[in-house]
C-alpha cells in the first residue's frame, strides 16, 4: 500500500500559499517555528494568543495580538499552531479557527533536529514500510498512515480523527491478572502508577523510575500509601552510566547537553536494576530515550515477554525504529498503534501484547 498521499511539507505550503503567515502561541514551540521559517526566508506577519493571554505581551520582538485584531489588520492568513493541547474546549477553538483560515500544526520532534519532510520519508521509506507490515490490526495501520501524512503536511484533519484514550486501550487489550508486576519508566508524579493500580488492585509489585528530583518528590508522596512499591531516582537507558539531564520539574524533563536547569543524573537499565526479577507490564515514556531503554530491557523481554506500552512520538524516527526494535527483541509480540487526543501528534503509543 502507498502510505504517503501528502507530497508537500507544511513548510513548503507556508512559503507558497500566497498569504501572510501568523503563529498561534508563545513559548518554545513558537520560537522553534520562528527560527525554521526564518531559515527558509518565510516572513511572519504576526503572533496571536488567546484573548486572556495577549494583553501587553511581546514575543521575540512581535507584539502578541488578539485573533480579531489580526483579522482586522490582515484579512485572511495562514495559521501555524505552536503549542500542545488535549482538552476539548481548545481543540474546538482550533477547529473554529481552521474553518475561517488555513490552519496547520507543524510537527516538531521533541528530541532531535530532523524534520519529517517528504525527503525524510523517502530516505527511510523501506523501514517505514517494514514497520507498517508488523502492525496487527486495521486501526493501527490507519493511525500509522494518518501520522505519517500529518507529520509531512501538518494538516489538522489527520489529527482530529482516530482519537482514542488510555481507558479504551485498557478495555480492549491491556488486561491484567492478580499478582502482575509493573515497571513504570518515566513515572512523573505517580499518575500512571495510580492508573495501573486502578486496573490491577491485586498487583504483585511496582517499580517506578523517575530521575527529575522535583517529580520524584511528588512520586514519593503519591505512592506513600501503596504496598510493594520500589522507587528508583534514575533515568532508564541501555546501561548504567552518568549523564546530563534537564530537570524541568514536569513531563518534559529529559536527557540533554544544553539548556536551563541542567544537572547530572544516574542512568540504569531495567535489566541491571531488576536483576532477573519477573516483570509483566512495562510502560515507558522517557522523552526520546525509548530505543535505548528497550535495549536495556532486552533480557527481561526475552525471559518474560511483558506487555509493553511505549511512547512513539518524541523523535522523527520513532515510527519505524521502535516497532522494528521490539520485533527484533521478541518476534512473537503483537504490535498495536494507538493515538490519544492531542494536537500536535503527541500521545502516539506503541503497544506490544
Amino acid at each position: 500500500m502507498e502510505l504517503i498521499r501528502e507530497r508537500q511539507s507544511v513548510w513548503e505550503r507556508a512559503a507558497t500559499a500566497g498569504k501572510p503567515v501568523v503563529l498561534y502561541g508563545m513559548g518554545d514551540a513558537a520560537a522553534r517555528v520562528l527560527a525554521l521559517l526564518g531559515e527558509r526566508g518565510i516572513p511572519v506577519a504576526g503572533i496571536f494568543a488567546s484573548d486572556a493571554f495577549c494583553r501587553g505581551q511581546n514575543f521575540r520582538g512581535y507584539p502578541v495580538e488578539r485573533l480579531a485584531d489580526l483579522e482586522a489588520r490582515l484579512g485572511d492568513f495562514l495559521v501555524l499552531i505552536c503549542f500542545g493541547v488535549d482538552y476539548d474546549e481548545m481543540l474546538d477553538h482550533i477547529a473554529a479557527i481552521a474553518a475561517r483560515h488555513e490552519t496547520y500544526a507543524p510537527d516538531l520532534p521533541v528530541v532531535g533536529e530532523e524534520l519529517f519532510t517528504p525527503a525524510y520519508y523517502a530516505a527511510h521509506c523501506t523501514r517505514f514500510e517494514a514497520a507498517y507490515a508488523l502492525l496487527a490490526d486495521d486501526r493501527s495501520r490507519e493511525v500509522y498512515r494518518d501520522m505519517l501524512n500529518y507529520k509531512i503536511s501538518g494538516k489538522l484533519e489527520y489529527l482530529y480523527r482516530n482519537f482514542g484514550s488510555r481507558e479504551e486501550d485498557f478495555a480492549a487489550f491491556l488486561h491484567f491478572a492478580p499478582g502482575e508486576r509493573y515497571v513504570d519508566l518515566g513515572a512523573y508524579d505517580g499518575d500512571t502508577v495510580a492508573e495501573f493500580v486502578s486496573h490491577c488492585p491485586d498487583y504483585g509489585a511496582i517499580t517506578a523510575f523517575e530521575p527529575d528530583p522535583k517529580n520524584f518528590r511528588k512520586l514519593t508522596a503519591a505512592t506513600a500509601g501503596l504496598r510493594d512499591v520500589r522507587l528508583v531516582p534514575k533515568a532508564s537507558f541501555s546501561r548504567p552510566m552518568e549523564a546530563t539531564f534537564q530537570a524541568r520539574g514536569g513531563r518534559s524533563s529529559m536527557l540533554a547537553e544544553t539548556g536551563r536547569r541542567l544537572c547530572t543524573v544516574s542512568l540504569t537499565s531495567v535489566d541491571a536494576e531488576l536483576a532477573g526479577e519477573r516483570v509483566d507490564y512495562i510502560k515507558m515514556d522517557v522523552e526520546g530515550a525509548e530505543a535505548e531503554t528497550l535495549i536495556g530491557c532486552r533480557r527481561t523481554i526475552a525471559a518474560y515477554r511483558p506487555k509493553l506500552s511505549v511512547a512513539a512520538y518524541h523523535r522523527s524516527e520513532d515510527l519505524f525504529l521502535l516497532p522494528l526494535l521490539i520485533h527484533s527483541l521478541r518476534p512473537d509480540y503483537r504490535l498495536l498503534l494507538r493515538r490519544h487526543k492531542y494536537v500536535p501528534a503527541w500521545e502516539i503509543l506503541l503497544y506490544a501484547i
Side-chain angles (χ1 to χ4, degrees):
M1 173 177 287
E2 180 66 45
L3 300 183
I4 296 297
R5 68 180 69 172
E6 300 293 342
R7 304 298 179 184
Q8 185 181 53
S9 76
V10 62
W11 313 106
E12 293 168 331
R13 179 57 192 164
T16 60
K19 60 183 74 173
V21 174
V22 305
L23 309 188
Y24 182 13
M26 303 175 285
D28 291 346
R32 291 178 69 187
V33 170
L34 269 176
L36 289 164
L37 293 172
E39 290 170 7
R40 289 158 176 77
I42 304 170
V44 171
I47 295 176
F48 72 98
S50 300
D51 291 355
F53 296 99
C54 66
R55 187 183 302 275
Q57 293 279 355
N58 189 283
F59 184 77
R60 300 297 173 97
Y62 291 84
V64 180
E65 303 178 67
R66 298 184 308 150
L67 175 60
D69 294 336
L70 273 178
E71 289 175 329
R73 179 165 68 85
L74 298 173
D76 192 21
F77 41 78
L78 182 148
V79 179
L80 299 180
I81 306 295
C82 299
F83 58 90
V85 62
D86 65 349
Y87 60 94
D88 290 337
E89 182 181 2
M90 183 56 75
L91 292 171
D92 291 343
H93 179 59
I94 290 172
I97 292 172
R100 303 205 303 272
H101 303 284
E102 190 175 351
T103 301
Y104 302 90
D107 179 65
L108 302 174
V110 178
V111 181
E113 300 298 327
E114 288 193 276
L115 295 179
F116 204 110
T117 63
Y120 180 85
Y121 177 78
H124 301 285
C125 63
T126 301
R127 284 183 282 184
F128 281 115
E129 291 168 357
Y132 179 80
L134 296 175
L135 299 175
D137 68 352
D138 289 341
R139 175 79 174 274
S140 299
R141 289 184 282 270
E142 184 175 10
V143 170
Y144 197 87
R145 294 193 301 271
D146 278 353
M147 292 303 94
L148 294 182
N149 283 284
Y150 156 72
K151 284 174 173 289
I152 287 173
S153 69
K155 290 182 178 179
L156 296 177
E157 65 191 70
Y158 297 112
L159 296 179
Y160 274 72
R161 60 187 183 217
N162 276 319
F163 278 154
S165 70
R166 295 280 290 184
E167 287 305 312
E168 290 175 6
D169 299 344
F170 279 105
F173 49 78
L174 275 179
H175 304 142
F176 304 105
E180 295 214 3
R181 301 172 68 89
Y182 172 50
V183 173
D184 191 329
L185 306 175
Y188 182 45
D189 64 359
D191 57 343
T192 44
V193 170
E195 178 186 67
F196 171 73
V197 172
S198 72
H199 289 90
C200 188
D202 298 324
Y203 65 86
I206 296 171
T207 303
F209 293 57
E210 176 52 56
D212 186 291
K214 184 176 179 180
N215 292 345
F216 190 82
R217 290 192 294 271
K218 294 178 181 178
L219 174 65
T220 301
T223 58
L226 298 177
R227 59 175 176 82
D228 299 313
V229 175
R230 175 173 47 180
L231 304 182
V232 181
K234 301 177 183 179
S236 61
F237 205 63
S238 57
R239 62 196 183 279
M241 58 181 287
E242 300 290 307
T244 305
F245 185 80
Q246 192 170 33
R248 297 179 177 179
R251 294 185 184 276
S252 59
S253 299
M254 66 177 71
L255 297 174
E257 294 296 328
T258 61
R260 297 174 297 170
R261 302 172 188 166
L262 296 180
C263 63
T264 300
V265 298
S266 296
L267 312 185
T268 189
S269 69
V270 168
D271 289 343
E273 198 69 28
L274 270 64
E277 293 178 19
R278 191 188 90 240
V279 179
D280 301 295
Y281 174 45
I282 301 174
K283 166 246 145 186
M284 61 182 75
D285 188 344
V286 290
E287 300 301 314
E290 283 79 13
E292 291 285 352
T293 292
L294 281 165
I295 292 169
C297 297
R298 60 189 182 277
R299 292 197 299 273
T300 300
I301 288 171
Y304 300 112
R305 197 181 179 273
K307 295 178 284 290
L308 304 177
S309 170
V310 182
Y313 60 90
H314 295 112
R315 296 179 179 271
S316 289
E317 63 266 32
D318 280 349
L319 285 178
F320 69 79
L321 179 62
L322 298 179
L324 295 176
L325 177 55
I326 292 172
H327 181 71
S328 74
L329 297 174
R330 287 278 324 211
D332 55 342
Y333 270 130
R334 183 169 179 255
L335 298 182
L336 302 170
L337 193 72
R338 295 294 185 265
R339 196 178 90 76
H340 300 160
K341 186 183 298 183
Y342 226 106
V343 170
W346 301 347
E347 297 304 309
I348 302 171
L349 296 179
L350 178 64
Y351 294 101
I353 306 297

